[in-house]
């Protein structure tokens, strides 16, 4: 008997491992798992609690009213036209990404190194040929038009569809693309007629609020994923959305609805009702977004400064709540301690200092490159949201994170 070779997603298994560590009563610095520290606004929680009687299955594509709200919301937030016919709702973006991968038959899939943990396994399960696009610390882990062009050329003329996945602000790097960078990439994408999954799940947590959607530059073949997991602090509610191009081929649309109908059926009805209230870009939501951005920007800047003081290489974050740490300046002393891969590094670091990071390998990095992702979410998000002058209290809120960085620094040096 044979079974599909799929192991548990790296981030989720790390969460279980650190939970065990904590159950054993050991001091833990939770930098491994990237869950929003902020609760959804009270109004949205109330909308959910009032919707418990909604027990029906909805349309596979999602409630028509919700699709309209999402279209209007992102039209306003991202300033490009979207009709509700372009929107599909599902229980999280993960199944949407999975189904997009399956809607393409035998495509050439291109993933930047580094990129989020699940794209590669999903592409492999769908039977696609995977090509990685190298990036560098010096190039801020960004895909350049040259590297994209070379990767596309390397894949050769196969006649298959080309599907590129971009994610910004990015997990695991916390960095984003400027409009000019996206325009330069679009040049290459357009010349190659390539499809793009633009995973913009952290768009609304761009620390400056200046996210530019690729769909506003390359509307003809960009499929945007977004949802409530990050900006609304509701990952476990499971609500994601896919925004398709305005002229999406009928066959692609039908395949996505068909795949949805054969897998998840629909997002849960009460969650969709609560999402109606979340996808209202009104003053409440604007205040909620603005506060999260200020808090994440302040903590991100502080954490970056402290990490630099340890001697690690790391870029100042621009969005979301991640940093990709480059331990390569410590390669020699680490090798003397018998550490030559990122996995080994993360295991020893956890065992010896209680600091939980996720190895860069999970994101497609070479294990010997000695990179690891840090999520800076181990703080009281609910309290921080209530703190009007947060900037003056950042050290207090970030105390546990700073303690963890000190433990990391001590372990390193
Ligand atoms: N994309 C990225 C980059 C993510 O970080 C995550 C969540 N960790 C997802 C997609 C999946 O999100 P969802 O909860 O919508 O399935």
């Amino acid at each position: 008997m044979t079974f599909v070779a799929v192991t548990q997603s790296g981030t989720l298994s790390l969460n279980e491992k650190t939970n065990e560590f904590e159950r054993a009563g050991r001091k833990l610095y939770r930098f491994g798992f990237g869950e929003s520290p902020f609760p959804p606004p009270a109004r949205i929680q109330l909308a959910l609690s009032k919707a418990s009687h909604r027990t029906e299955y909805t349309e596979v594509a999602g409630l028509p009213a919700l699709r309209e709200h999402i279209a209007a919301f992102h039209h306003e937030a991202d300033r490009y036209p979207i009709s509700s016919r372009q929107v599909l709702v599902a229980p999280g973006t993960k199944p949407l990404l999975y189904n997009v991968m399956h809607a393409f038959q035998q495509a050439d899939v291109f993933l930047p190194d580094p990129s989020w943990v699940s794209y590669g396994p999903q592409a492999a399960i769908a039977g696609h040929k995977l090509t990685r696009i190298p990036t560098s610390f010096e190039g801020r882990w960004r895909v350049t038009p040259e590297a994209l062009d070379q990767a596309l050329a390397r894949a050769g003329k196969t006649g298959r569809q080309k599907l590129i996945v971009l994610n910004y602000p990015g997990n695991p790097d916390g960095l984003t693309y400027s409009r000019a960078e996206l325009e330069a990439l679009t040049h290459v994408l357009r010349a190659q007629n390539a499809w793009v999954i633009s995973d913009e799940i952290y768009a609304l947590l761009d620390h400056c609020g200046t996210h530019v959607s690729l769909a506003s530059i390359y509307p003809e073949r960009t499929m945007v994923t977004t949802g409530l997991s990050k900006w609304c602090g509701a990952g476990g509610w499971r609500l994601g959305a896919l925004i398709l191009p305005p002229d999406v081929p009928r066959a692609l649309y039908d395949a996505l609805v068909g795949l949805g109908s054969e897998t998840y059926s629909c997002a849960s009805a009460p969650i969709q009702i609560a999402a109606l209230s979340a996808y209202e870009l009104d003053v409440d939501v604007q205040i909620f977004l603005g506060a999260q951005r200020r808090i994440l920007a302040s903590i991100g800047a502080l954490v970056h400064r402290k990490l630099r003081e340890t001697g690690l290489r790391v870029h100042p974050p621009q969005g979301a709540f991640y940093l990709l740490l480059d331990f390569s300046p410590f390669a020699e002393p680490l090798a003397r301690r018998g550490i030559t891969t990122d996995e080994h590094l993360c295991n020893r670091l956890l065992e010896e200092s209680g600091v939980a990071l996720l190895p860069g390998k999970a994101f497609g990095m070479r294990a010997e490159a000695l990179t690891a992702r840090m999520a800076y979410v181990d703080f009281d998000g609910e309290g921080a949201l209530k703190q009007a002058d947060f900037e003056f209290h950042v050290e207090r809120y970030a105390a546990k994170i700073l303690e963890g960085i000190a433990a990391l620094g001590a372990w390193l040096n």
Side-chain angles (χ1 to χ4, degrees):
M1 216 172 352
T2 52
F3 300 100
V4 172
V6 188
T7 52
Q8 180 166 210
S9 145
T11 37
L12 295 177
S13 58
L14 175 99
N15 200 37
E16 289 178 13
K17 194 159 136 194
T18 47
N19 283 342
E20 265 170 41
F21 193 88
E22 214 167 33
R23 272 198 299 275
R26 300 180 59 185
K27 180 105 187 159
L28 177 70
Y29 300 101
R30 255 177 202 285
F31 299 156
F33 198 57
E35 198 165 15
S36 167
F38 305 109
R43 167 186 99 194
I44 302 171
Q45 294 191 39
L46 186 65
L48 175 60
S49 65
K50 281 189 182 158
S52 61
H53 65 287
R54 296 292 295 259
T55 52
E56 76 276 20
Y57 288 97
T58 74
E59 291 81 347
V60 176
L63 288 171
L66 176 57
R67 297 165 68 204
E68 267 165 36
H69 275 227
I70 293 174
F73 182 101
H74 279 287
H75 177 179
E76 195 177 339
D78 296 314
R79 295 170 301 278
Y80 72 100
I82 310 170
S83 111
S84 63
R85 289 191 313 277
Q86 291 166 248
V87 179
L88 296 183
V89 171
T93 60
K94 204 184 253 190
L96 284 167
L97 291 161
Y98 186 88
N99 284 352
V100 170
M101 292 279 186
H102 275 77
F104 283 76
Q105 263 179 358
Q106 289 260 304
D108 288 327
V109 173
F110 299 84
L111 296 183
D113 273 343
S115 55
W116 180 56
V117 290
S118 290
Y119 309 130
Q122 289 190 346
I125 297 167
H128 299 313
K129 179 169 174 283
L130 193 60
T131 303
R132 312 280 322 193
I133 311 173
T135 68
S136 66
F137 176 88
E138 291 71 21
R140 295 175 49 254
W141 310 117
R142 298 301 77 192
V143 172
T144 62
E146 297 74 27
L148 176 61
D149 207 30
Q150 274 168 23
L152 289 162
R154 217 170 47 245
K157 286 203 173 16
T158 59
R160 294 195 287 258
Q161 302 269 21
K162 298 180 179 72
L163 178 61
I164 290 128
V165 186
L166 292 177
N167 163 229
Y168 65 97
N171 177 2
D173 46 71
L175 299 173
T176 194
Y177 287 95
S178 67
R179 177 177 293 279
E181 285 168 331
L182 292 171
E183 282 170 353
L185 289 173
T186 297
H187 236 73
V188 180
L189 296 166
R190 202 165 261 149
Q192 297 277 350
N193 221 4
W195 287 93
V196 185
I197 295 175
S198 189
D199 182 345
E200 302 183 20
I201 194 150
Y202 296 100
L204 293 160
L205 298 183
D206 177 299
H207 295 175
C208 298
T210 51
H211 176 83
V212 178
S213 177
L214 184 66
S216 68
I217 299 172
Y218 186 48
E220 62 268 38
R221 289 207 157 191
T222 299
M223 298 170 279
V224 175
T225 51
T226 181
L228 294 186
S229 295
K230 309 301 173 179
W231 73 263
C232 199
W237 284 11
R238 311 308 300 134
L239 190 117
L242 174 69
I243 304 172
L244 292 159
D247 298 322
V248 60
R250 188 77 221 177
L252 174 57
Y253 185 90
D254 289 347
L256 289 168
V257 173
L259 285 161
S261 76
E262 301 297 3
T263 50
Y264 52 75
S265 297
C266 64
S268 113
I271 299 295
Q272 292 195 56
I273 298 293
L276 279 174
S277 165
Y279 281 106
E280 259 328 326
L281 201 50
D282 57 9
V283 178
D284 284 355
V285 170
Q286 295 279 17
I287 290 173
F288 176 55
L289 289 172
Q292 290 184 86
R293 287 173 188 149
R294 273 201 312 281
I295 294 163
L296 291 174
S298 305
I299 295 192
L302 176 63
V303 163
H304 171 256
R305 183 158 54 79
K306 295 288 178 189
L307 285 164
R308 292 281 297 125
E309 286 168 15
T310 67
L312 287 169
R313 297 213 299 174
V314 55
H315 290 288
Q318 297 176 297
F321 30 68
Y322 305 109
L323 295 163
L324 188 65
L325 312 184
D326 177 356
F327 287 79
S328 63
F330 294 90
E332 275 185 26
L334 287 171
R336 281 199 293 279
R337 291 158 79 175
I339 297 170
T340 53
T341 68
D342 55 11
E343 259 174 328
H344 203 178
L345 168 74
C346 290
N347 281 332
R348 287 274 296 274
L349 183 64
L350 179 62
E351 278 301 318
E352 294 167 16
S353 73
V355 172
L357 298 177
L358 202 59
K361 187 164 179 258
F363 303 92
M365 299 295 286
R366 268 186 327 108
E368 298 73 26
L370 298 177
T371 56
R373 186 194 75 177
M374 171 177 181
Y376 51 93
V377 289
D378 196 1
F379 65 91
D380 171 15
E382 188 168 6
L385 284 174
K386 291 184 190 137
Q387 191 78 54
D389 47 355
F390 181 81
E391 286 78 355
F392 296 104
H393 300 271
V394 56
E395 301 245 359
R396 178 158 61 80
Y397 280 90
K400 176 124 195 258
I401 302 177
L402 298 182
E403 200 183 303
I405 295 173
L408 169 62
W411 182 83
L412 263 180
N413 292 297

